Amino acid sequence: MINRNHSGAIKTVIIIAMTVLQMSCTTKTPSDLSEESIIPKPVSITSTCDYFTLNAKTAIYVKGETADIIRIGGFLSAILKPATGFPLNVKSTIEAPGSGNIFLMLSDSAETRGDEGYLLTVTKKQLKLVAKSPAGLFRGIQTIRQILPSDIERDSIVERPWEIATGTIVDYPEYSYRGAMLDVARHFFGVDDVKRFIDFLACYKMNVLHLHLSDDQGWRIEIKSWPNLTIHGGSTEVGGGTGGFYTQEQYSDFVKYASDRYITLVPEIDMPGHINAALASYPELNSNGKATELYTGTEVGFSTLSTKKEITYKFVDDVFRELATLTPGPYIHIGGDESHVTKKEDYIPFVERVQDIVIAHGKQIIGWDEISLSTLRPNATAQFWANAANANRAVSQGAKILMSPAARTYIDMKYDSTTVLGLSWAGYVEIDSSYIWDPANYVPGIGREKITGIEAPLWTETITNMKELEYMVFPRLPGLAEIGWTTSSERSWEEYKVRLGKQGARLKAMDINFYRSKQVPWVE
Ligand code: IFG
């Protein structure tokens, strides 16, 4: 017999227990949306403890008939088809579809914040994705991928139920510039490799690909007014391999591939240093009128354009005119790093004149943080990589900062002393090191309001192919993408490493050769 005085208390305990159980979604199928491994971590997730089932009758309805929304529907269909084997036809509609379907639509409703925000609502009857812009829909599709079983990433049919936990996700990014850089100059990577790299960025909602297109060891983009830059300057690479280059047609192909994924391409022609490939291609660019030898080593800081020769500025103008025409994005990266043999009194006016040339061709400049030695033009961005004084000088001139601290974001750094690939001049960068930091307080004086975002450079002195690239990029890239997307107060290493570990099966299904760090509880 329960003592009457206690029955009320017991009733309360039972009600609380039921509520907790309901919230923890105890059924066996994937019915707790908040338990899914989504990277970057969304702003908010509410579970309703049921599940939506994808089946052969499911269609992807898009509201309206714009090319963007049709293409995005097709993109989702192309992701879901291989492993499910379902038709997943894309259909245009003006009103909400019937039960069992996917519905994508654009809306200005308050809940889909910003250019890349989205609202994902999954009920037993429908999966609905709403965004203010096509880019927001595309970012939301990456979340849909991640709340499906990791088998969805396989490229052949997997016979299994395709269930998605129900609930609501409201999401939008912290920073507007969330990117990675691929150095295709030290070792050349072909168009298909660049496209796979773009696929990786798309999966983790990154929106910028910075291509380091020229350096001492190679010139990788065809410039029609200076053809020998690629014919000769593109003919080798670190280690003496055959190198390679992109024709302007190939470059335009992956610019479109990137823009179809709402990824902006930022091309970099590094100058006045890191320029031996150009100096080897054209004697007239050298102060002594003699072409240098092609270089296949890994030293830096030994080359410079002849800042006092007028032909240098014709070269710069021709290169950036052609590159600006090929680049729909707002930025051109002028490099500016490690110009150790350019006198400071020559470097400063050179960088100022190059900025004016890029601006004359309708683009905004980004440069490595040394460019702040010069007077920066309006809308300039300095990419912080090693020198806090340079970054502060840039900010004092009103420039914005793109955060790429080498000790945190350089994914060419070895994980630890046993890593065969990579360099270690900035220290070892294990998974925790690349995750446990906040761009907004990493450099004293560089506050949140000065920062456009974050970028993870992959330098390729020691990286020669896609499998080696994947080993260095994963699993650090997802964490860096999360730092760009998820506000720092919502991030914690202890929680993230478990969520990352759950992506192990997904990375495996995508055939990504990732480093299985012992810091992460991998679930494969
Ligand atoms: N620093 C050089 C890169 C590359 C890198 C390798 C910058 C801006 C070291 N410049 O990083 O060319 O060699 O980690």
Side-chain angles (χ1 to χ4, degrees):
M1 177 64 177
I2 293 171
N3 178 317
R4 190 171 296 286
N5 297 336
H6 292 149
S7 64
I10 288 169
K11 237 183 243 161
T12 307
V13 167
I14 290 167
I15 289 167
I16 290 170
M18 288 300 290
T19 312
V20 169
L21 266 184
Q22 176 68 352
M23 280 172 61
S24 63
C25 306
T26 50
T27 51
K28 67 174 175 38
T29 54
S31 62
D32 186 347
L33 193 56
S34 63
E35 283 303 304
E36 297 296 347
S37 166
I38 305 171
I39 300 178
K41 186 184 173 193
V43 169
S44 80
I45 302 178
T46 309
S47 303
T48 50
C49 299
D50 205 332
Y51 55 90
F52 170 83
T53 305
L54 214 55
N55 58 43
K57 293 197 296 302
T58 302
I60 298 173
Y61 284 86
V62 296
K63 185 164 185 184
E65 297 183 322
T66 60
D68 262 333
I69 200 158
I70 301 279
R71 187 184 65 244
I72 291 167
F75 188 91
L76 177 58
S77 179
I79 289 171
L80 302 180
K81 262 187 209 169
T84 60
F86 300 151
L88 287 155
N89 295 319
V90 178
K91 300 179 180 177
S92 174
T93 176
I94 48 170
E95 69 254 344
S99 174
N101 291 304
I102 292 172
F103 186 32
L104 311 179
M105 67 175 276
L106 295 173
S107 160
D108 279 334
S109 81
E111 277 189 298
T112 56
R113 282 179 55 177
D115 291 344
E116 296 178 88
Y118 64 89
L119 168 66
L120 177 61
T121 309
V122 187
T123 65
K124 194 153 186 64
K125 294 188 172 169
Q126 185 181 88
L127 186 151
K128 183 176 176 187
L129 180 63
V130 182
K132 195 166 279 184
S133 74
L137 284 181
F138 188 81
R139 304 299 176 232
I141 281 178
Q142 311 316 315
T143 299
I144 294 172
R145 286 171 96 155
Q146 293 189 354
I147 58 179
L148 271 158
S150 54
D151 280 339
I152 197 66
E153 298 296 345
R154 293 193 182 288
D155 50 17
S156 55
I157 292 178
V158 178
E159 295 295 345
R160 58 160 299 147
W162 295 102
E163 296 163 338
I164 299 179
T166 59
T168 302
I169 293 178
V170 178
D171 204 6
Y172 49 84
E174 173 70 24
Y175 291 100
S176 59
Y177 186 123
R178 306 178 311 279
M181 182 206 84
L182 181 56
D183 166 13
V184 295
R186 275 43 183 274
H187 279 98
F188 180 65
F189 285 80
V191 172
D192 291 342
D193 287 344
V194 173
K195 286 181 174 177
R196 182 164 164 87
F197 193 70
I198 290 169
D199 288 341
F200 296 153
L201 306 188
C203 281
Y204 293 99
K205 302 191 178 79
M206 283 184 142
N207 63 4
V208 177
L209 168 62
H210 166 182
L211 274 184
H212 186 75
L213 289 164
S214 67
D215 213 298
D216 292 319
Q217 298 86 350
W219 187 285
R220 306 297 181 207
I221 176 66
E222 176 194 12
I223 300 294
K224 295 187 186 302
S225 49
W226 297 71
N228 221 28
L229 289 170
T230 43
I231 294 167
H232 186 62
S235 65
T236 187
E237 57 194 346
V238 168
T242 52
F245 64 91
Y246 311 115
T247 64
Q248 293 196 358
E249 191 183 359
Q250 288 172 319
Y251 179 86
S252 298
D253 177 27
F254 57 68
V255 166
K256 179 173 183 335
Y257 191 86
S259 64
D260 284 352
R261 290 153 179 81
Y262 303 92
I263 292 173
T264 299
L265 204 126
V266 176
E268 176 188 355
I269 300 295
D270 202 343
M271 57 178 69
H274 286 275
I275 199 73
N276 183 70
L279 301 179
S281 305
Y282 286 96
E284 58 270 43
L285 289 177
N286 295 266
S287 46
N288 63 2
K290 286 200 196 110
T292 60
E293 292 304 313
L294 290 172
Y295 179 68
T296 61
T298 57
E299 294 303 312
V300 296
F302 60 85
S303 61
T304 181
L305 282 171
S306 305
T307 56
K308 296 219 186 325
K309 293 179 81 171
E310 212 34 49
I311 192 166
T312 296
Y313 300 95
K314 175 170 178 8
F315 164 75
V316 171
D317 186 55
D318 289 342
V319 167
F320 283 138
R321 181 187 64 254
E322 291 192 37
L323 206 51
T325 309
L326 293 166
T327 302
Y331 302 112
I332 279 186
H333 198 301
I334 63 172
D337 62 310
E338 299 182 315
S339 302
H340 299 328
V341 295
T342 316
K343 291 193 186 75
K344 188 175 172 182
E345 61 267 24
D346 298 334
Y347 175 90
I348 290 172
F350 174 84
V351 170
E352 286 163 2
R353 197 166 164 186
V354 168
Q355 289 182 72
D356 294 338
I357 289 170
V358 169
I359 290 163
H361 291 300
K363 302 297 179 185
Q364 298 168 37
I365 68 110
I366 303 179
W368 299 105
D369 59 45
E370 292 94 326
I371 61 165
S372 71
L373 289 167
S374 73
T375 301
L376 297 176
R377 291 354 189 192
N379 299 318
T381 300
Q383 184 164 6
F384 169 71
W385 63 287
N387 185 311
N390 286 342
N392 274 289
R393 192 183 309 109
V395 159
S396 69
Q397 295 191 58
K400 290 282 189 187
I401 300 295
L402 174 59
M403 288 297 285
S404 294
R408 294 286 181 272
T409 67
Y410 272 32
I411 46 183
D412 65 317
M413 289 300 119
K414 291 175 184 287
Y415 291 106
D416 61 28
S417 60
T418 67
T419 313
V420 174
L421 297 168
L423 303 175
S424 57
W425 66 269
Y428 296 129
V429 183
E430 251 287 4
I431 317 309
D432 57 353
S433 300
S434 65
Y435 186 81
I436 306 172
W437 67 287
D438 177 359
N441 62 30
Y442 189 80
V443 180
I446 312 291
R448 171 69 185 81
E449 72 290 350
K450 302 293 182 196
I451 297 169
T452 57
I454 171 176
E455 186 186 279
L458 179 71
W459 300 102
T460 58
E461 280 94 337
T462 65
I463 312 299
T464 67
N465 62 45
M466 204 62 207
K467 287 301 155 200
E468 293 178 354
L469 179 151
E470 291 170 6
Y471 187 80
M472 300 304 276
V473 170
F474 288 92
R476 288 177 290 196
L477 186 82
L480 292 163
E482 178 152 310
I483 292 172
W485 183 278
T486 307
T487 186
S488 61
S489 58
E490 286 301 310
R491 295 192 297 107
S492 91
W493 167 248
E494 289 308 315
E495 183 276 333
Y496 171 71
K497 71 181 181 183
V498 174
R499 191 159 28 97
L500 174 63
K502 288 181 186 173
Q503 293 244 334
R506 189 170 297 277
L507 297 176
K508 200 169 171 184
M510 294 166 80
D511 191 27
I512 291 175
N513 173 42
F514 67 102
Y515 163 61
R516 289 163 171 78
S517 167
K518 291 182 181 51
Q519 296 182 339
V520 177
W522 293 109
V523 176
E524 296 187 38

